[in-house]
């Protein structure tokens, strides 16, 4: 796969340069510039929300720094978690004096480094952790805490970010973020892989006519691999799997995110949305604030994910609250 | 190439269904639903701005219907212009009693059908035409009126749409739209093709390590085809070609659009932007309102285009005026 890049080792830093040069609302900071923060800095008296993760997923992770969303985001190399120093910087730069929520997707390396960063700062800054665990294909319902975080983390960012803007304290922001994660389910389908900068091979291989249901955004194995089906059949299966895992206390309002993994045209996402939304209506669910687009990608990977966020009154109002980042604006 | 679709013949209508179901600010209307219009309809007393073109380019064309942008957009099959009936519907539905600007990209089929639609309605509605002709690779500077319209049309939409919202009359809106086109230059680079729904072959072929400078968004031949170069070298050549064609009366302010053609990751667009923006600064140009993202695509085609819009005071203020459509919001 051909890439518009210079030296592979410069891929991440040059992309971060371009991202911040084009978007004056965010800036690079921290050790080696591997934290993106709001240009105006941490707001005194507001709980901070810090995230982090590997590069190669734009708009995730760094693209969600902005008002009503993240305060800071540490960023690693492509598909590698941020280092401990960057995680510490992200926490410090998010601190407005009322503590910091560490909100990131459940991957081993990210967890280890963020935990260590939190411990090293524990005398200075009170922190809590909420992990995105929305990928229903990555572990059974009984082990839902072991699930990976994928596109559904966007709901957690939006809802936690909005809660923090209300002036809520760290425990309240943490509880609301945890509620958002508990209310969110995602499943993906992969059509074609991506290739890491400088790598000789794609992240995985898939037959010319094959797709893989439930594959993770780094090519983690899914549920089945078989011939491509129609968009409606794929949407049916994805929705059936998501609805089978609806939270027990779920109400009748739901937000849906039909997310492109990178190379999949918007037209195809809207074809998926068309059928998925009818299916939700048939299940007597009311769609609130639907999202269709590329929110969480893996470079040029082809495929899509569907996330559902089951809303209560608080989650609904936090999702609708004003927010602004380079890639998304609400209200 | 695998596509998330149902019957190929339903690709366009199902995508339009999904687009409008997910975005209540726009609706399908006209013969066979092949016009997208603002949900609230034409505004009485405002000049209408109608566009049209083939499917497969989202957000272009239909995605730019909204406040401060287009009133209506007729839409054809994938890579085929809209039919005469849809063009007539787009004009009629955009008419608020003060005439309609037909603003679309310079392709033979679109021109023929929009011209015929304008003639058939000439006793009812006064219309004018401005064609997007920004692709500098598609004809020589001496024959600039023959150039194709590509991503630079987004500047014309934004500026003409804003002018119409000011209450300007049809001649004024037309003159401002023509000025926006005359101030805009684009060049693209192709890395990999897309494939039409139902087609057995991609739109073109390119060697594993080859790129084509100046290729059009439907695979129209470019300036040269050769081995992939570094992102900085590619940005250098694109900027050199664009700046060599700067309008004679150009001032010192310019907006730049680094546009992804579909499958190219945002990271790579930001790497291009990083170098392009430094080059503009070195050329003593001031960047105003930079745009980086997928504004005009060709489904899963890989590659990018760079557009420059040289601004005077009027163009600058129209570009900055508030606007809202499903894929872009300003102000």
């Amino acid at each position: 796969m051909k890439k518009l890049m210079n030296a592979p080792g410069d891929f991440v830093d040059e992309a971060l340069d371009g991202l911040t040069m084009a978007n004056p609302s965010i800036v690079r900071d921290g050790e080696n510039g591997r934290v993106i923060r709001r240009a105006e800095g941490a707001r005194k008296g507001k709980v901070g929300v810090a995230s982090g993760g590997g590069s190669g997923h734009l708009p995730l992770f760094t693209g969600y720094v902005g008002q009503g969303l993240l305060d800071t985001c540490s960023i690693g190399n492509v598909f590698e978690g941020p280092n401990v120093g960057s995680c510490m910087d992200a926490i410090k730069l998010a601190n407005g004096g009322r503590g910091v929520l560490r909100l990131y997707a459940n991957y081993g390396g990210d967890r280890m480094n963020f935990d260590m960063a939190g411990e090293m700062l524990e005398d200075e800054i009170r922190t809590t952790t909420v992990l995105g665990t929305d990928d229903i294909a990555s572990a059974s319902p009984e082990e839902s805490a072991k699930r990976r975080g994928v596109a559904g983390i966007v709901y957690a960012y939006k809802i936690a970010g909005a809660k923090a803007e209300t002036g809520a304290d760290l425990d309240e922001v943490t509880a609301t973020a945890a509620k958002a994660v508990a209310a969110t389910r995602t499943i993906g389908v992969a059509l074609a892989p991506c290739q890491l900068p400088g790598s000789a091979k794609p992240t995985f291989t898939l037959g010319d006519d094959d797709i893989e249901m439930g594959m993770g955004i780094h090519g983690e194995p899914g549920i089945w691999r078989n011939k491509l089906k129609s968009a409606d059949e794929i949407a049916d299966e994805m929705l059936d799997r998501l609805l089978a895992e609806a939270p027990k206390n779920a109400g009748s309002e739901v937000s849906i995110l039909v997310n492109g993994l990178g190379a999949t045209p918007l037209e195809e996402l809207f074809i998926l949305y068309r059928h998925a939304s009818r299916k939700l209506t048939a299940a007597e669910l009311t769609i609130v604030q639907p999202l269709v687009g590329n929110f969480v990608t893996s470079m040029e990977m082809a495929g899509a994910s569907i996330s559902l966020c089951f809303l209560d009154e608080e989650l609904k109002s936090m999702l609708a609250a004003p927010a602004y980042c380079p890639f998304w604006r609400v209200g």
Side-chain angles (χ1 to χ4, degrees), chain A:
Chain A
M1 280 151 189
K2 292 166 255 189
K3 291 188 188 294
L4 293 167
M5 66 176 184
N6 298 301
D10 295 332
F11 185 88
V12 170
D13 288 298
E14 291 185 353
L16 292 174
D17 276 349
L19 172 69
T20 49
M21 289 163 78
N23 295 289
S25 65
I26 54 175
V27 294
R28 297 186 70 176
D29 201 339
E31 188 188 322
N32 301 321
R34 286 301 185 91
V35 173
I36 299 291
R37 65 164 172 84
R38 301 187 195 183
E40 70 273 21
R43 194 183 316 155
K44 208 171 150 60
K46 186 183 86 65
V47 167
V49 183
S51 191
S55 289
H57 299 298
L58 278 178
L60 199 70
F61 296 88
T62 50
Y64 293 107
V65 172
Q67 208 200 324
L69 288 155
L70 302 178
D71 291 277
T72 62
C73 183
S74 54
I75 186 79
N77 289 326
V78 177
F79 292 7
E80 292 176 13
N83 64 26
V84 179
S86 299
C87 293
M88 288 177 66
D89 290 337
I91 293 168
K92 285 192 272 190
L93 290 165
N95 183 31
R98 295 187 67 203
V100 174
L101 168 64
R102 299 177 285 166
L103 175 60
Y104 55 98
N106 185 29
Y107 292 92
D110 301 16
R111 220 170 47 225
M112 191 177 71
N113 288 348
F114 254 118
D115 282 351
M116 200 178 298
E119 280 166 32
M120 292 175 75
L121 292 168
E122 68 187 351
D123 293 340
E124 289 173 56
I125 304 169
R126 189 172 162 236
T127 62
T128 55
T129 296
V130 172
L131 296 175
T133 54
D134 51 309
D135 187 348
I136 64 167
S138 59
S140 71
E142 293 71 36
E143 299 195 300
S144 62
K146 291 188 181 172
R147 287 175 168 172
R148 293 185 298 263
V150 284
I153 191 93
V154 170
Y155 285 114
Y157 284 174
K158 177 67 187 72
I159 287 163
K163 187 74 180 179
E165 303 281 349
T166 66
D169 69 22
L170 181 58
D171 291 331
E172 292 167 329
V173 173
T174 305
T176 300
K179 186 163 75 167
V181 169
T184 304
R185 307 282 184 276
T186 299
I187 189 164
V189 62
L191 274 68
C194 63
Q195 194 159 321
L196 271 63
S199 167
K201 285 188 184 172
T203 44
F204 57 88
T205 53
L206 251 177
D208 277 354
D209 299 321
D210 287 349
I211 62 172
E212 185 160 326
M213 178 64 66
M215 185 178 259
I217 59 173
H218 310 96
E220 296 92 341
I223 300 168
W224 57 256
R225 180 179 287 209
N226 214 324
K227 298 292 166 213
L228 178 63
K229 302 180 182 187
S230 76
D232 285 359
E233 286 172 306
I234 292 168
D236 270 336
E237 175 170 345
M238 293 171 89
L239 265 290
D240 285 342
R241 290 182 179 275
L242 293 170
L243 291 174
E245 289 216 22
K248 290 209 169 44
N249 58 350
S252 65
E253 292 188 314
V254 67
S255 178
I256 174 171
L257 163 58
V258 178
N259 174 60
L261 296 181
T264 290
L266 282 173
E267 286 81 359
E268 298 178 29
L269 302 183
F270 284 115
I271 290 172
L272 283 181
Y273 177 78
R274 171 182 177 272
H275 194 69
S277 66
R278 290 180 176 178
K279 213 167 149 77
L280 291 176
T281 304
E284 298 186 342
L285 289 164
T286 302
I287 299 174
V288 174
Q289 235 177 299
L291 302 169
V292 183
N294 295 326
F295 285 76
V296 172
T297 68
S298 282
M299 298 189 293
E300 70 277 10
M301 184 170 168
S305 66
I306 299 181
S307 303
L308 297 181
C309 181
F310 293 87
L311 301 169
D312 66 9
E313 284 308 311
E314 183 192 25
L315 297 181
K316 184 180 170 185
S317 102
M318 293 299 110
L319 186 59
Y324 171 83
C325 70
F327 301 96
W328 191 25
R329 192 151 122 193
V330 179

